[in-house]
Amino acid sequence: VVEHLLDKPTAGELTFFKGVHRLRAGHFLNASADGVAQRAYWEPRGERVELATEEDHVARFRELFRQAIASRVDAEEAVGAQLSGGLDSSSVTAMAAEIYREDGPSLPEMSTLSETYSGFPCDESPYIEVMTGWLPFDAQQVDCSTFDLPLSIEDELWKEDGPTAELVPDRTLRTSQALSSFGARVLLTGYGGDELTWDPEWAPDLLRKGQFVSAYQQAWRLSRLPEESALPAILRRAVVHSIPNGLRRWLVAIRPRAAEPWPDHVKTGLDRYLGGGEEPPMPRAEFPSIAQQTVYRWLSDPLLHWNLERLEQRYASRGRELRHPFFDRRLAELVLAIPFDKRVGPPGLPKALLRQAMQGLLLTEILERRTQAVFDTYFLAAWERWRPYLREVIHSSDPWLSEPYTDPKRV
């Protein structure tokens, strides 16, 4: 409960239900006459993949990416593929098209599903139309530009098994209905593309190797990107991250960070109930580079797992299954094992590994796309639609079960 209120999920097993525990990522449950225990079935080994050239790593990524998608279209009935017009979902559908061109007769029907947001800055219809006009699949568009309130907030909470509700439940409902229209239960997604293929900062590893000029050049080039920090901040971050882990932990112990501000409606002093640290534990085998450690932290971030769990619960409540090729274990093992010096290059377009792997398979308009959809305006509009309904719920005379943790008057 406290982790939810402070938006600080940890890698723990606790859920909102007494006696119900979460299975840890990378574990299976072993039940026997001796009891029940969780056992790890996978942990990165912190090793290096020494292929001959950078091109070999790109070719291996493309091969495993293809396998990750092919193994997820083995359903007996039709399959849907999420297509937003961004690099990740477009790469999934483009690779699926390559697979279907070769093995189509033996594979189930596939259609793309695209959410559109007419009138909002996040609408990606131009990119979607470019892709659907090129792909060999039927295409369906789901209009998400209007908001309908749920029949009851209790129903929405039930779908996620916790005190959270989807801000725009119509999106899940309409996408599920679109899947049903052509007999599909499974939806391929582009989730995980950011965590797996985003380029970590190379400057800390270059500093550790004593390549100070190269580290400065990397930081300077990175600072030229519109979404990045100023050069002094990037250099400061690089120096801090280049400090060995043991020394950094000692420095944090003698000079702890300033406490983060609390949400106004949450009562102070609840941090003692948090179930773990800010970061999940690193694997026993250390990674050879800071860049590889960074990718592992992105993939093992508890907030990512929590959000993914909630998303899958929403679709599961409507009888639908999400499948995520970018979270394929073989693909993750490869990316985590590529030496940082085999991926480092001048900062330009992000996700260089994915873009290189999709050369010749994906349209140039998508490969060279520099913009990303931003949903702030859309969700603010949805919030305004919800506000009168939520105000009525919040200010009702019913007592709050969360009063030990929150102050209803400040919500």
Side-chain angles (χ1 to χ4, degrees):
V1 172
V2 175
E3 289 179 9
H4 164 67
L5 291 172
L6 298 179
D7 198 25
K8 288 185 176 181
T10 70
E13 303 173 20
L14 295 177
T15 69
F16 292 109
F17 298 92
K18 185 177 180 180
V20 179
H21 298 272
R22 178 177 288 106
L23 190 64
R24 289 180 178 270
H27 286 66
F28 65 86
L29 193 68
N30 185 25
S32 67
D34 297 326
V36 177
Q38 295 190 42
R39 303 189 188 280
Y41 66 79
W42 177 77
E43 184 179 85
R45 295 182 290 274
E47 60 189 9
R48 292 168 62 100
V49 172
E50 292 292 355
L51 299 178
T53 64
E54 181 181 342
E55 289 74 20
D56 292 332
H57 288 100
V58 171
R60 182 59 175 159
F61 180 92
R62 180 189 296 203
E63 177 187 354
L64 292 179
F65 188 45
R66 178 191 174 99
Q67 292 178 18
I69 294 168
S71 64
R72 286 165 174 79
V73 294
D74 59 352
E76 296 180 357
E77 60 270 346
V79 176
Q82 184 185 61
L83 176 61
S84 69
L87 177 63
D88 299 335
S89 64
S90 296
S91 296
V92 171
T93 55
M95 184 62 81
E98 181 74 7
I99 295 169
Y100 270 69
R101 289 187 187 101
E102 297 182 8
D103 305 322
S106 63
L107 296 172
E109 174 191 356
M110 177 175 284
S111 295
T112 62
L113 281 84
S114 303
E115 296 176 355
T116 60
Y117 301 88
S118 177
F120 290 97
C122 58
D123 185 59
E124 299 180 275
S125 293
Y127 295 103
I128 292 169
E129 291 167 3
V130 166
M131 284 296 297
T132 55
W134 173 72
L135 291 168
F137 307 127
D138 290 337
Q140 297 202 33
Q141 293 192 0
V142 181
D143 180 15
C144 298
S145 59
T146 59
F147 314 107
D148 291 330
L149 291 177
L151 296 177
S152 73
I153 196 170
E154 289 82 4
D155 289 342
E156 295 306 311
L157 297 178
W158 171 82
K159 291 170 187 171
E160 297 195 22
D161 284 342
T164 56
E166 189 177 7
L167 189 58
V168 191
D170 282 351
R171 295 197 303 169
T172 305
L173 172 62
R174 293 170 186 171
T175 300
S176 298
Q177 290 172 338
L179 284 168
S180 298
S181 69
F182 62 93
R185 184 182 60 84
V186 170
L187 179 66
L188 299 184
T189 81
Y191 294 116
D194 287 343
E195 290 76 15
L196 185 70
T197 67
W198 197 271
D199 305 288
E201 294 183 19
W202 316 116
D205 283 305
L206 292 170
L207 286 176
R208 278 192 177 181
K209 283 181 168 288
Q211 300 178 19
F212 303 113
V213 174
S214 296
Y216 180 85
Q217 291 173 338
Q218 283 289 323
W220 181 83
R221 290 168 179 160
L222 193 62
S223 70
R224 311 302 292 174
L225 298 178
E227 67 274 12
E228 280 295 341
S229 308
L231 178 59
I234 295 175
L235 288 172
R236 191 181 310 113
R237 195 165 62 215
V239 170
V240 170
H241 288 168
S242 67
I243 298 173
N245 293 335
L247 178 58
R248 197 189 320 168
R249 284 193 291 268
W250 179 77
L251 291 173
V252 170
I254 64 173
R255 188 181 178 183
R257 298 177 183 175
E260 297 181 14
W262 286 72
D264 289 341
H265 64 281
V266 177
K267 296 181 178 179
T268 58
L270 296 179
D271 53 339
R272 65 183 183 277
Y273 294 113
L274 289 176
E278 292 184 2
E279 296 178 344
M282 294 298 290
R284 287 185 293 273
E286 285 203 16
F287 291 103
S289 71
I290 301 169
Q292 289 163 282
Q293 293 176 23
T294 301
V295 176
Y296 175 79
R297 285 196 174 97
W298 289 342
L299 289 170
S300 58
D301 183 0
L303 184 58
L304 167 69
H305 296 174
W306 197 355
N307 288 333
L308 195 63
E309 179 182 289
R310 291 172 54 198
L311 179 68
E312 293 184 340
Q313 285 173 324
R314 293 174 203 155
Y315 278 92
S317 71
R318 305 185 190 281
R320 304 289 170 251
E321 177 188 347
L322 301 183
R323 295 183 181 178
H324 316 290
F326 282 108
F327 287 125
D328 186 89
R329 189 170 81 183
R330 297 162 295 183
L331 201 58
E333 286 177 342
L334 172 69
V335 174
L336 288 170
I338 297 177
F340 93 93
D341 51 342
K342 297 294 185 181
R343 290 186 62 184
V344 67
L349 291 172
K351 305 183 182 179
L353 179 61
L354 177 59
R355 292 178 194 270
Q356 293 169 15
M358 294 304 296
Q359 287 285 345
L361 295 178
L362 187 58
L363 290 171
T364 303
E365 294 94 322
I366 306 299
L367 277 174
E368 297 181 355
R369 182 180 173 184
R370 292 179 174 272
T371 58
Q372 283 187 309
V374 178
F375 284 80
D376 294 3
T377 303
Y378 176 76
F379 286 124
L380 284 173
W383 169 245
E384 289 298 326
R385 182 75 172 87
W386 271 76
R387 187 194 296 269
Y389 175 71
L390 290 176
R391 184 183 292 118
E392 180 181 342
V393 173
I394 290 172
H395 296 292
S396 69
S397 59
D398 297 332
W400 284 38
L401 294 178
S402 62
E403 282 199 36
Y405 317 103
T406 61
D407 182 355
K409 295 178 181 179
R410 302 180 69 89
V411 174

